[in-house]
Amino acid sequence: MELECYPMSDQPCDLVPGRQPRDWMDAFPSRHPYRCLPLTMANTTGWEILCPIGFTAEWNGGPSQNDLEITPDRPTPNLHHIVTSHFSRGVMTLHPQYMFRTPPGWGLLATGAPNHIKDGIQPLTGLIETDWLPFPFTMNWLFTRPGRVKFERGEPFCFITPLQHRKAEDFQPVIRTLESNPVMKGQFDAWNRQRTDFNKRLASGDPDAAKEAWQRFYFKGEMPEELGAAPDTHANKRRLKSPRLG
């Protein structure tokens, strides 16, 4: 399986495996958000495309292209090859500077880096059929209100994840009662008992609960009360490959 990356410039943006840290997660006492495995796995399930320069973008709320002004931290020749106001109405366009090719049936989901928060601007998400598309795509951000935002050099502005996009059409959502699946209901009831008991002990100041700090069933891929274990596909760390020269 290869994700082919064809640079569209002499100095393309850096492309790196998704990184786990987030400033807002670091700011919590004891870095609590890192205990949430779904968060950290999302942060690392894809590749980041990094800003080659630092710049400030300011939108005055107007409808034209000229109502969005982009100012690089230092003089940058051909700035519009990196970032520009192309679509108007507060949409800022960045160029990943690669043309990608995925295996047949696979596309790329392109969006902002998961859980990477920027006030006043929102990454737009696209699903691109990179198994045939013969030209590069752009990454777009939409201002949510008039104002100014800063992108640092080395900050991710696009996050790509391979996706077998046609397979989603094979799924049929089915709504069932939990009682119709006795095994799953038993596992849920056991988890609920353990969770309720742990929270009560933690709230009462129980020293063992305070030392444990948080329950690790999901992180470790375990079921409470020895009612089973997660399949071998369970993972609590993502290890994506860095690009190499082909």
Side-chain angles (χ1 to χ4, degrees):
M1 296 287 287
E2 288 187 343
L3 172 60
E4 299 177 359
C5 313
Y6 297 92
M8 295 285 101
S9 70
D10 293 336
Q11 294 182 314
C13 302
D14 287 338
L15 176 69
V16 301
R19 296 167 292 182
Q20 188 182 94
R22 298 290 184 267
D23 289 343
W24 68 269
M25 295 171 71
D26 291 336
F28 270 71
S30 302
R31 303 170 80 237
H32 284 169
Y34 290 102
R35 300 173 183 175
C36 180
L37 187 58
L39 282 179
T40 60
M41 292 297 287
N43 292 355
T44 54
T45 302
W47 287 266
E48 300 174 4
I49 304 176
L50 309 183
C51 289
I53 62 168
F55 66 90
T56 300
E58 185 169 5
W59 182 49
N60 64 17
S64 74
Q65 290 177 323
N66 294 332
D67 289 316
L68 199 166
E69 183 178 0
I70 298 165
T71 306
D73 290 354
R74 58 191 63 183
T76 303
N78 298 317
L79 176 66
H80 65 284
H81 290 168
I82 300 172
V83 56
T84 185
S85 174
H86 177 70
F87 292 108
S88 72
R89 294 192 174 275
V91 176
M92 181 178 69
T93 298
L94 292 106
H95 296 275
Q97 301 176 21
Y98 289 94
M99 186 166 67
F100 295 100
R101 179 65 81 239
T102 43
W106 288 79
L108 285 181
L109 187 70
T111 185
N115 305 307
H116 180 72
I117 312 300
K118 292 192 75 67
D119 184 43
I121 197 167
Q122 171 73 29
L124 302 181
T125 300
L127 177 58
I128 305 102
E129 293 182 3
T130 44
D131 55 352
W132 69 269
L133 192 69
F135 52 85
F137 59 84
T138 60
M139 176 64 202
N140 298 285
W141 291 68
L142 175 67
F143 275 82
T144 57
R145 62 177 182 273
R148 178 184 301 173
V149 298
K150 179 76 170 69
F151 280 75
E152 302 289 348
R153 185 176 184 274
E155 179 178 351
F157 71 87
C158 183
F159 191 87
I160 54 173
T161 303
L163 184 69
Q164 245 181 326
H165 54 95
R166 293 302 297 270
K167 288 293 184 182
E169 299 173 14
D170 294 338
F171 281 91
Q172 171 61 61
V174 180
I175 299 173
R176 298 190 175 106
T177 65
L178 189 56
E179 286 74 17
S180 69
N181 188 329
V183 173
M184 182 178 288
K185 185 178 188 307
Q187 293 171 339
F188 168 77
D189 288 343
W191 171 85
N192 196 34
R193 285 192 298 270
Q194 293 274 357
R195 181 74 167 175
T196 301
D197 176 69
F198 178 79
N199 285 338
K200 286 181 178 179
R201 291 190 294 115
L202 195 63
S204 68
D206 180 274
D208 291 334
K211 184 178 180 180
E212 187 177 352
W214 57 292
Q215 291 183 304
R216 296 166 172 80
F217 292 124
Y218 182 49
F219 190 89
K220 296 167 68 175
E222 297 176 346
M223 304 285 184
E225 302 181 14
E226 299 183 356
L227 288 177
D232 292 339
T233 53
H234 171 71
N236 55 31
K237 183 173 287 188
R238 187 72 70 208
R239 298 174 178 86
L240 297 189
K241 297 177 176 62
S242 296
R244 63 170 175 80
L245 293 178

